[in-house]
Amino acid sequence: MKSGSRLERLLWAGHFVVTAELGPPKGPDVAAVERKMSLLAGACDAVNVTDNQTAIVRLSSAATCALLHQHGIEPVMQMTCRDRNRLAMQSDIFGAVALGVRNLLCLSGDHQKFGNHPSAKNVYDLDSIQMIQMVKRLRDEGLTAGGDPVEGAVPLFIGGAANPFGDPFEMRVIRLAKKVAAGADFIQTQCVFDLPRFKEWMRRVVDLGLHEKVAILAGVMPLKSAGAGRYINANVPGITVPEAIIERLSRAGRGAKAREEGMRLCAETIQELRTIAGVRGVHIMAVEWEEAIRPIAEMAGLLPRPEPPEVAP
Amino acid sequence: MIVAERKPMVEILASIQGVSRLLVVGCETCVAVCLAGGAKEVAVLSAALRLALRERTSAVEILERSVERQCEEEFNAPLAEDIAKVEAVLSMACGVGVQTLAEQFPDAIIYPALNTQFMGRPEAPGIWAERCLGCGDCVLGRFGGICPITRCSKSLLNGPCGGSSNGRCEVDPEHLECAWQLIYDRLARLGQLERLYAIEPPKDWRSAHDGGPRRTTREDLRL
């Protein structure tokens, strides 16, 4: 066991895992975090806490993770390279571990241009692969990036992201291989809408044997409406929502009916992902729609969530 | 070259408010080539200033000069006499030239007329683009001659982020190419794709951008 986290133990025991996402509030609104926690408790195995996602200032990931941990929900702390240099990263990682965090997802981070502080200077002292390498060294060698010994253990299950839909396509598998070589234990992918392209990416991943070295969790996102799908196609590079999905949402009608259909589509995608060799779980990203997680998990036949083995060898 | 562009007229006028004798000094090196601060631009700016200031009660005298390289004191030495005659100097050089004048003429008031932008090259008539951040430890040999530190919006050294789509960067798809698409294509063409599998270690920023000015010494050239 590298971290003993619930996520690691469930994967070790061979379970198909479910993670979800919680976006912290735009301020220290603990009640908002607690409301979202209640929607997610028991509906998934661990909860990713975003780190100023889309470069919008929010309650810190580490603090939100600590709140989750106190409430018995396992957090996956997200950390981006955008806002911190290597000193701040390591310091915040120590802090998070001290507060009970056991899973860390290392990300490049969205460019500040997209957020609410476009005049800020970004950092990018390290990139996400260098960050993974640094965290592995903290954990396995007990050494900081600068080479000093770490006081105390850093038991973290290390994650990285992968986008099978970005360009250049050939680079996407190479980049995954680099993340694995750098020390990633698990991968969460960009939202899968285009199943054929995802399958093609997974086929290459399996051909290289990468699925045996890293646990791949496929990302999924429920859509509230046909408009949401069209918005993604127009505004989010690297994700394409197929016309057939938009068409189905459109036919379902408006409001609650469209949302119901969006959740059903998401559950169907999960069921299909489960059949793909090498996929070890799903990561459900219901952005500002945490209410959707439990029904989707239910429809996909993923509830109740299993208990992990208490102590693993 | 060093690429610059002229500051807005309003800002220039605000900086020289109340000045009645002004020297406008251009530079015939980089900023002349990028059409921002050579002799021609000195003439254009001076004419515009005369026009803008003609309604002032007192007359404004504007001297126009341009030197070969404002960043080297020997080229600026002949300006001494004119600088002594004026109340302020408006430099149309890059920031290096402006600071050279300020160091060389400690009693003169020097204002910049340009915004110095980057080290780059002309991509098309009227378009200049950044190519080098001057990081002090050139990596171009490992990336097919394309600099990821300068040209990737996140300076990523180990491949593209998720925002690369159809060869464009999500930060500004209309104007920015994804540096990593360019690197991939060029390495593929050169038969060097295996380079992409190597993990590039964290950059040692001591050679640049670590929070202090740099200087370089060549002992063989010292007197």
Side-chain angles (χ1 to χ4, degrees):
Chain A
M1 280 285 118
K2 290 166 172 169
S3 67
S5 77
R6 182 184 183 89
L7 184 62
E8 182 181 13
R9 286 181 286 137
L10 283 167
L11 285 165
W12 177 85
H15 292 288
F16 186 82
V17 301
V18 181
T19 55
E21 205 156 283
L22 184 153
K26 296 176 185 176
D29 184 352
V30 175
V33 178
E34 287 172 346
R35 188 185 63 78
K36 289 186 175 187
M37 282 194 287
S38 68
L39 295 168
L40 298 173
C44 55
D45 303 312
V47 174
N48 278 40
V49 178
T50 52
D51 177 18
N52 294 332
Q53 78 268 27
T54 61
I56 287 170
V57 173
R58 290 170 183 275
L59 180 57
S60 77
S61 181
T64 311
C65 284
L67 290 171
L68 263 68
H69 178 68
Q70 285 161 17
H71 285 75
I73 296 176
E74 171 150 305
V76 176
M77 182 164 99
Q78 296 192 179
M79 182 180 274
T80 75
C81 301
R82 179 193 57 228
D83 306 329
R84 295 171 187 81
N85 67 9
R86 60 194 86 173
L87 278 85
M89 280 180 175
Q90 292 175 99
S91 170
D92 286 355
I93 288 167
F94 294 162
V97 169
L99 293 170
V101 171
R102 292 294 177 267
N103 308 294
L104 180 74
L105 183 71
C106 306
L107 301 168
S108 302
D110 296 315
H111 195 273
Q112 73 278 4
K113 180 207 148 148
F114 299 106
N116 60 0
H117 290 73
S119 60
K121 182 181 190 301
N122 65 29
V123 180
Y124 294 110
D125 177 28
L126 302 184
D127 63 29
S128 57
I129 289 175
Q130 293 159 350
M131 180 178 173
I132 289 170
Q133 217 168 26
M134 178 178 75
V135 180
K136 183 178 162 64
R137 192 166 186 228
L138 291 174
R139 183 190 68 195
D140 296 350
E141 297 172 49
L143 295 173
T144 66
D148 285 347
V150 177
E151 295 174 356
V154 187
L156 283 171
F157 199 46
I158 306 171
N163 184 354
F165 312 104
D167 291 325
F169 183 59
E170 295 75 11
M171 216 31 236
R172 297 296 154 184
V173 180
I174 296 175
R175 208 159 140 78
L176 176 69
K178 285 173 83 162
K179 289 192 178 183
V180 173
D185 301 309
F186 70 100
I187 291 290
Q188 290 172 323
T189 77
Q190 181 57 281
C191 312
V192 179
F193 290 107
D194 182 350
L195 274 158
R197 178 148 166 173
F198 181 74
K199 284 178 182 168
E200 169 62 17
W201 181 78
M202 275 307 298
R203 194 183 56 72
R204 295 196 197 191
V205 168
V206 171
D207 283 349
L208 290 172
L210 295 172
H211 66 301
E212 288 167 356
K213 298 176 183 160
V214 73
I216 295 172
L217 315 187
V220 290
M221 177 188 274
L223 296 173
K224 282 181 178 170
S225 64
R230 288 192 203 100
Y231 177 86
I232 288 173
N233 284 344
N235 296 291
V236 185
I239 316 187
T240 308
V241 181
E243 240 354 275
I245 290 180
I246 293 175
E247 177 67 19
R248 246 184 83 178
L249 286 164
S250 183
R251 270 204 313 267
R254 292 177 169 276
K257 283 186 176 155
R259 288 199 294 276
E260 176 79 18
E261 187 72 353
M263 290 190 277
R264 196 170 308 121
L265 271 161
C266 187
E268 287 171 19
T269 304
I270 292 172
Q271 279 161 338
E272 182 139 9
L273 288 166
R274 264 189 107 152
T275 66
I276 301 173
V279 176
R280 306 275 304 279
V282 282
H283 176 55
I284 309 171
M285 286 170 268
V287 182
E288 292 303 316
W289 192 21
E290 285 83 357
E291 294 84 350
I293 304 290
R294 199 182 308 272
I296 291 167
E298 185 75 62
M299 284 181 209
L302 296 167
L303 294 184
R305 298 308 307 149
E307 276 307 310
E310 207 43 63
V311 184
Chain B
M1 75 180 90
I2 294 173
V3 178
E5 69 176 358
R6 206 182 78 188
K7 282 181 176 288
M9 202 59 183
V10 181
E11 188 182 341
I12 295 175
L13 283 168
S15 68
I16 59 163
Q17 203 169 20
V19 172
S20 55
R21 285 192 314 282
L22 180 70
L23 171 66
V24 181
V25 190
C27 176
E28 294 308 307
T29 309
C30 310
V31 294
V33 181
C34 69
L35 308 174
K40 189 170 144 253
E41 290 74 33
V42 167
V44 171
L45 176 61
S46 300
L49 289 173
R50 285 189 193 98
L51 200 63
L53 298 171
R54 76 195 148 164
E55 280 168 16
R56 283 219 324 221
T57 45
S58 56
V60 178
E61 189 188 340
I62 300 177
L63 301 178
E64 302 173 29
R65 301 285 181 269
S66 196
V67 298
E68 190 58 34
R69 270 200 296 284
Q70 228 179 90
C71 56
E72 294 192 44
E73 295 195 2
E74 62 192 277
F75 292 103
N76 298 334
L79 295 172
E81 206 176 307
D82 291 325
I83 288 177
K85 281 191 266 181
V86 298
E87 291 162 35
V89 178
L90 199 51
S91 167
M92 296 194 79
C94 70
V96 184
V98 176
Q99 293 188 65
T100 306
L101 285 186
E103 282 180 49
Q104 197 174 349
F105 302 101
D107 300 318
I109 294 171
I110 319 284
Y111 294 115
L114 302 186
N115 288 324
T116 307
Q117 294 169 300
F118 48 76
M119 283 189 270
R121 70 177 197 87
E123 275 187 342
I127 297 173
W128 289 267
E130 186 167 20
R131 287 290 182 271
C132 180
L133 272 173
C135 77
D137 183 14
C138 192
V139 298
L140 285 168
R142 301 204 288 280
F143 298 102
I146 292 144
C147 180
I149 301 164
T150 311
R151 299 183 67 184
C152 166
S153 297
K154 301 175 182 173
S155 295
L156 302 182
L157 291 173
N158 281 294
C161 73
S164 174
S165 189
N166 300 315
R168 313 304 293 183
C169 170
E170 67 174 350
V171 171
D172 183 3
E174 195 187 336
H175 301 108
L176 285 182
E177 292 167 294
C178 168
W180 276 99
Q181 179 75 54
L182 297 173
I183 292 167
Y184 181 86
D185 292 346
R186 181 122 164 95
L187 290 179
R189 187 174 182 151
L190 299 176
Q192 295 183 358
L193 283 178
E194 76 285 351
R195 284 187 183 277
L196 294 172
Y197 285 90
I199 295 182
E200 190 71 22
K203 189 160 175 67
D204 182 346
W205 292 107
R206 279 175 294 191
S207 59
H209 309 297
D210 64 341
R214 291 170 275 167
R215 62 192 300 143
T216 190
T217 306
R218 282 268 306 272
E219 287 303 337
D220 56 324
L221 298 174
R222 306 249 317 143
L223 293 176

